[in-house]
Amino acid sequence: MAAHLQDQTKLSNGVGMPWLGLGVWQAKDGEEVVNSVKWALQSGYRSIDTAAVYDNEEGVGQGIKESGVSREEIFLTSKVWNSDQGYESTLQAFETSLKKLDTDYLDLYLIHWAVKDKYKETWRALETLYKEGKVRAIGVCNFQTHHLDDLMADCEIKPMVNQVELHPKLSQKELREYCRENNIQIEAWSPLGQGKLLQLPLLNEMADKYGKTAAQVILRWDLQNGIVTIPKSVHQDRIVQNADVFDFSLTDEEMAAIEGLNEDDRIGPDPDHFDF
Ligand code: A2P
């Protein structure tokens, strides 16, 4: 169990990945994302999660530079977008991401969505990048158990991470169990349900009990469940608040009560039916 902001989970290949990082989906390139990344790193975050399609990789790179934190201390994730899937195009997309981020390696490179008839070819490119030492770990996003079964039946290197929509209204219990059994680290995108879950009375009752906020209760629930989590914020006070979750513990009853909020309710696209 993570005790500090910089504590890491060990991925299946032995690489350490911080349990908590900053997500930057919908953070605008330029000042907004530069500041968010800088504030996060300066307040102790060591993991930043971006993607080619977020269109803010340049700002992320600039924020890292301006933070004064050395690149080697940071766990940097990006993702190959759907239109770039396929072997050669993925290799190219990776180089483009490196250039924009102004770095010469990534810590984690992920397939953004399981594009049918493409993701296996894409995976082969990720395996190449991994073997060449250009990326320290590789994984997927938005893969259901059947996608993982299909990929793992036909790959050389197993995915180390699966990043999916996961929050109290979509607790992904079955997928979490599958990933645990297969030594794939599960990671939550939109852990706060894009901020839409923060009014839930149950979470606010618990928050009041601990002198915390509903956001902090959710993030603590992630950590106690062994889920890597990457809340997004572009506000300094919230960035700091979201990382201040290491000084209280939810009881087993509270953990179960939060799990009980699950309604298999997605905010984002369905990984089996998306058209982009
Ligand atoms: P903002 O970036 O304006 O701070 P998720 O990570 O689940 O997608 O949630 C991100 C959303 O939740 C964003 O709209 C973000 O807004 C908001 N948010 C992030 N942290 C907090 C917080 N501690 N309290 C309230 N809202 C937050």
Side-chain angles (χ1 to χ4, degrees):
M1 173 64 216
H4 304 281
L5 175 54
Q6 295 177 7
D7 281 357
Q8 302 184 332
T9 175
K10 201 181 252 196
L11 302 179
S12 59
N13 64 343
V15 164
M17 174 179 192
W19 284 106
L20 196 147
L22 178 75
V24 296
W25 178 52
Q26 290 182 329
K28 286 191 217 64
D29 203 15
E31 201 184 343
E32 186 166 274
V33 80
V34 172
N35 282 335
S36 308
V37 168
K38 199 163 58 178
W39 290 328
L41 292 172
Q42 288 175 347
S43 65
Y45 284 64
R46 287 296 176 267
S47 169
I48 308 290
D49 179 275
T50 185
V53 76
Y54 300 171
D55 204 16
N56 59 16
E57 287 173 309
E58 286 178 5
V60 168
Q62 194 183 329
I64 289 174
K65 292 261 149 51
E66 290 184 15
S67 73
V69 177
S70 68
R71 170 69 185 89
E72 307 76 64
E73 280 187 59
I74 299 165
F75 191 95
L76 182 57
T77 301
S78 193
K79 315 182 188 90
V80 53
W81 185 240
N82 299 356
S83 54
D84 286 322
Q85 288 204 33
Y87 187 82
E88 289 297 336
S89 42
T90 295
L91 296 179
Q92 265 170 31
F94 180 82
E95 293 303 325
T96 303
S97 282
L98 285 190
K99 202 174 268 174
K100 287 189 171 167
L101 288 160
D102 197 14
T103 186
D104 51 11
Y105 72 99
L106 288 184
D107 294 279
L108 179 63
Y109 199 43
L110 302 170
I111 297 182
H112 211 146
W113 290 87
V115 175
K116 233 174 140 196
D117 305 325
K118 286 268 184 79
Y119 64 75
K120 284 194 185 179
E121 276 290 289
T122 306
W123 186 252
R124 271 180 260 293
L126 266 60
E127 290 177 330
T128 297
L129 293 166
Y130 179 70
K131 286 191 267 183
E132 287 175 346
K134 291 182 169 170
V135 57
R136 297 174 66 229
I138 51 177
V140 296
C141 303
N142 304 303
F143 271 43
Q144 309 270 52
T145 57
H146 70 90
H147 295 121
L148 290 166
D149 278 337
D150 184 45
L151 182 65
M152 289 197 292
D154 191 19
C155 72
E156 209 180 313
I157 302 164
K158 285 207 304 185
M160 292 141 202
V161 172
N162 185 19
Q163 184 189 113
V164 296
E165 180 180 348
L166 196 164
H167 44 68
K169 289 278 182 199
L170 179 68
S171 73
Q172 302 270 26
K173 211 156 183 204
E174 191 198 335
L175 186 59
R176 269 156 60 196
E177 185 59 26
Y178 176 102
C179 287
R180 202 181 54 75
E181 283 166 5
N182 286 282
N183 207 4
I184 298 169
Q185 176 63 53
I186 196 104
E187 180 177 16
W189 65 256
S190 284
L192 310 177
Q194 296 175 26
K196 296 185 177 82
L197 306 183
L198 302 179
Q199 308 304 325
L200 288 173
L202 179 82
L203 298 176
N204 283 285
E205 280 161 29
M206 289 180 199
D208 289 347
K209 172 180 159 189
Y210 293 107
K212 291 285 175 181
T213 65
Q216 290 170 317
V217 167
I218 296 178
L219 298 169
R220 183 72 202 179
W221 175 79
D222 286 340
L223 298 176
Q224 286 184 220
N225 272 322
I227 299 164
V228 167
T229 191
I230 45 166
K232 174 262 180 184
S233 180
V234 295
H235 294 99
Q236 189 169 16
D237 55 339
R238 289 176 175 173
I239 289 171
V240 170
Q241 180 199 121
N242 292 344
D244 182 16
V245 292
F246 297 94
D247 60 351
F248 74 113
S249 272
L250 299 168
T251 64
D252 291 347
E253 291 72 29
E254 288 164 340
M255 291 293 288
I258 297 174
E259 191 74 45
L261 293 171
N262 178 51
E263 291 174 353
D264 294 331
D265 189 11
R266 286 183 191 281
I267 298 172
D270 182 337
D272 283 317
H273 303 99
F274 61 94
D275 58 359
F276 49 86

